[in-house]
Amino acid sequence: MKKAVVLGAYGFIGAACVRALQADGYAVCGVGRSLESAKKVFPDLVWMIRDIADTTETDWKDLLSDADVVVNASGALQDGTRDNLVAIHVSAVERIVAALKGTSATFVQISAAGVSEDAPTAFFRSKARGDAVVMASATNWIILRPVLVLGSEAYGGSALLRASAAIPCIGGRIFADAPIQTIHVDDLAAAVAQAAGGKLGTHFVADLGEAETRTFAELTRRIRSWLGYPKWSAEIEIPEWLLRLVGTGADLLGWLGWRSPLRTNALRSLKSGITGDPSHWQERGGLAVTSLEETLAAIPATAQERTYSRMYLLLPLAIGCLSVFWLLSGLIGILSFEDAKSVLTERNVSSGIAAFAVIGGVVADLVLGAAVLVRRWTRKVCAGMILVSGAYLLFGSWLAADLWADPLGPFVKVLPAIVLALFVALLLEDR
């Protein structure tokens, strides 16, 4: 049995490649940096847990020594605390092809349609540099460049597309005339498996995508129809200055660990259009790529897709609301320190204990409100918010039970905050 190693094997594209290669009879080994994420996607797959950006050439030689096929499905959209584009798209590829030198393994590089050294985004430029490294290498290489990838799983740009299409009542148009082509993720994976089989030869670059091109506005309307929603009552043009502002905010959140599809690289790529020329793939005898209509027909939308599309919009709002709620609670405690103390001292609590309780509450509120914005802490912070809220209600009921009947509801209003934190903790998933 031939062995295939898939880099980024628990990702959207990587997971589809694993399934396609397994269906073709390969023994597949996955490479990824998170064992937890890896086991969620393929609990029974053989995994090599590595940070691809930091793995040395010597380590790659050991990891790939008996591989017949190596598929690079790893990648990142933009620099951030978790990602470095040059390290992932260029340096790692340099070490991998050096490790494969002298072997008979086929190296399949999954790139992106539209990459070039002078592209408008660092993503495309770094991908182009990585492709150039592959083409200059002595390996049996193949580079596949897909257009916008869709599938039953929504992640990144495809998730944003669904969320945009699910906005109720009034739709927002962005880059309405940008040309877009799509490809089903299973078609991309089938192309990878076919290329890995060797029947198409090696040392070639091919774009992968459907033949038809449509505008982004048309694509969004088509996805909305697929979700089962009626036409919008109106559509409004979103000004570019607002998109730039959103992109800058998403870039900043990237340094807190959030991989938003609204980051500047994604918006610039969308503005330029996402298209390719699949003619070379067809001339080589590559498998046919289904149209958007065939893709959507193969993955009919259910209540699950509709719910996810709306939840995708609500989740960042929920996290932002939690942060504002806790930060304001802490700031108000500072600004109204004496009033906050008096709530306890008027109920026979000593001044020292009351001051300690208020200061402790202020610190906890500010820390939780800020920490919930850091991606790797968010779920744990939500658990902390629930515990602190529970303690607040418990001790508050013991010391000032009459506040339950207060017209402003200082205790009652904590209950929806607990539910909101629970909502975020349960829905927060990478994959």
Side-chain angles (χ1 to χ4, degrees), residues 194-245:
Q194 185 184 21
K199 294 182 180 179
L200 304 181
T202 58
H203 300 88
F204 70 90
V205 180
D207 290 347
L208 296 176
E210 61 175 334
E212 184 180 352
T213 301
R214 61 189 53 76
T215 66
F216 185 71
E218 292 169 341
L219 176 60
T220 306
R221 294 188 199 106
R222 185 66 187 85
I223 296 296
R224 181 173 177 81
S225 175
W226 170 73
L227 287 170
Y229 294 123
K231 292 181 179 180
W232 283 300
S233 57
E235 293 184 38
I236 59 173
E237 191 77 30
I238 306 299
E240 286 200 31
W241 66 265
L242 181 57
L243 289 174
R244 288 194 295 271
L245 182 62

Side-chain angles (χ1 to χ4, degrees), residues 78-155:
Q78 193 159 324
D79 290 327
T81 54
R82 303 166 66 187
D83 301 309
N84 181 294
L85 293 184
V86 173
I88 296 171
H89 295 161
V90 184
S91 302
V93 173
E94 289 174 339
R95 292 191 286 266
I96 291 167
V97 296
L100 290 174
K101 185 178 180 180
T103 72
S104 59
T106 299
F107 180 57
V108 182
Q109 164 93 334
I110 301 177
S111 184
V115 303
S116 71
E117 293 280 2
D118 57 353
T121 71
F123 169 78
F124 280 144
R125 292 193 297 271
S126 61
K127 273 288 189 182
R129 288 175 59 190
D131 289 356
V133 169
V134 174
M135 288 185 277
S137 72
T139 60
N140 296 317
W141 58 265
I142 298 167
I143 298 175
L144 302 179
R145 292 173 171 171
V147 290
L148 180 63
V149 184
L150 303 178
S152 55
E153 180 185 0
Y155 183 70

